[in-house]
């Protein structure tokens, strides 16, 4: 199951967007690259919905509270529904950008996740906000705080070497929580940034070890 990023959360550094639907749904395009594998795509709350439904949302749902308890609960229910629809017994969660935080927080609540994958992800939003000097996500849960629940779950985290939106700022604090020998696998691809060129390298089994470090 692929979980979308934060979408169009802000119009500028001071103005939240009125509609967080992504202009470029990268997680959807990655899901479509799975080929013969059974894959599902989950947008984030308040994305891709009519104005009448979005009116029930608050801008906080895609800004400072984008990883809140309520948001994670809603996404966990969506995972339940998708699992039931496909008759799956186990799932792999793949989160892009802010969707990685949601994937990790959902995985921490479940016993049926066999792998957690992030792409240009945010797994420690506290360190991410400090590193990029942006406003903290004060209403959000932080995946780094759940490392003990996740420490035995197979994980693979992809980072773009040219990513200025998340990069290592998004995951360094998360990785630092794990004791030696239990740190998740990290794949840094030097020529990739936040959006480019993940689709061309997907699915994950086709990511070239020659371009990664």
């Amino acid at each position: 199951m692929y979980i979308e990023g934060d979408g169009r959360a802000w119009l500028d550094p001071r103005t939240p967007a009125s509609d967080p639907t992504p202009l470029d749904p990268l997680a959807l395009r990655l899901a479509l690259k799975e080929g013969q594998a059974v894959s599902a795509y989950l947008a984030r709350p308040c994305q891709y919905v009519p104005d009448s439904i979005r009116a029930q949302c608050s801008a906080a749902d895609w800004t400072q509270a984008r990883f809140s308890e309520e948001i994670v609960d809603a996404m966990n229910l969506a995972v339940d529904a998708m699992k039931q629809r496909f008759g799956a017994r186990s799932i792999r969660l793949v989160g892009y950008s802010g969707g990685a935080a949601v994937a990790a927080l959902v995985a921490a609540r479940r016993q049926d996740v066999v792998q957690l994958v992030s792409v240009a992800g945010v797994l420690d939003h506290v360190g991410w906000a400090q590193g990029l000097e942006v406003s903290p996500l004060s209403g959000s849960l932080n995946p780094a705080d759940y490392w003990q629940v996740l420490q035995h779950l197979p994980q693979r985290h992809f980072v773009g070497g040219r990513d200025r939106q998340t990069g290592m700022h998004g995951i360094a604090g998360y990785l630092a929580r794990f004791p030696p020998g239990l740190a998740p696998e990290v794949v840094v691809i030097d020529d990739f940034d936040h959006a480019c060129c993940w689709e061309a390298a997907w699915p994950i089994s086709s990511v070239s070890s020659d371009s990664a470090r």
Side-chain angles (χ1 to χ4, degrees):
M1 296 189 192
Y2 285 75
I3 298 180
E4 189 57 80
D6 297 333
R8 197 182 185 206
W10 296 88
L11 299 179
D12 59 51
R14 295 178 178 270
T15 310
S18 59
D19 180 356
T21 299
L23 300 177
D24 179 20
L26 181 58
L28 174 59
R29 292 193 282 112
L30 295 182
L32 292 172
K33 289 291 294 289
E34 283 287 351
Q36 297 300 316
V38 176
S39 61
Y41 169 76
L42 293 175
R44 304 273 290 282
C46 309
Q47 295 178 354
Y48 298 105
V49 296
D51 291 342
S52 58
I53 294 179
R54 193 177 301 108
Q56 303 172 37
C57 300
S58 164
D61 293 333
W62 54 86
T63 55
Q64 70 265 26
R66 66 186 74 171
F67 312 135
S68 68
E69 192 82 40
E70 292 76 15
I71 294 293
V72 177
D73 281 345
M75 293 300 293
N76 195 41
L77 288 173
V79 170
D80 283 339
M82 280 293 185
K83 182 184 176 186
Q84 182 176 9
R85 178 177 179 180
F86 287 100
R89 289 180 294 179
S90 61
I91 55 179
R92 184 183 73 185
L93 291 176
V94 183
Y96 167 64
S97 191
V102 175
L105 291 166
V106 168
R109 298 172 178 226
R110 307 183 65 93
Q111 302 297 319
D112 55 1
V113 178
V114 295
Q115 187 182 30
L116 172 64
V117 178
S118 73
V119 179
V122 176
L123 294 171
D124 173 28
H125 67 71
V126 175
W128 168 78
Q130 292 173 346
L132 296 183
E133 298 182 344
V134 297
S135 299
L137 305 184
S138 55
S140 293
L141 304 174
N142 192 10
D145 295 334
Y146 295 83
W147 71 270
Q148 289 178 303
V149 181
L150 297 168
Q151 63 181 318
H152 299 297
L153 175 66
Q155 302 180 44
R156 197 176 195 197
H157 303 297
F158 292 94
V159 179
R162 297 182 178 179
D163 188 348
R164 299 295 177 264
Q165 291 178 248
T166 54
M168 288 303 297
H169 289 304
I171 68 168
Y174 176 77
L175 298 174
R177 301 288 187 98
F178 291 82
L182 288 177
E185 179 186 6
V186 178
V187 179
V188 179
I189 305 182
D190 290 333
D191 293 336
F192 286 21
D193 60 26
H194 197 64
C196 178
C197 303
W198 301 108
E199 183 181 4
W202 219 249
I204 59 173
S205 59
S206 68
V207 175
S208 172
S209 59
D210 295 335
S211 62
R213 59 177 171 87

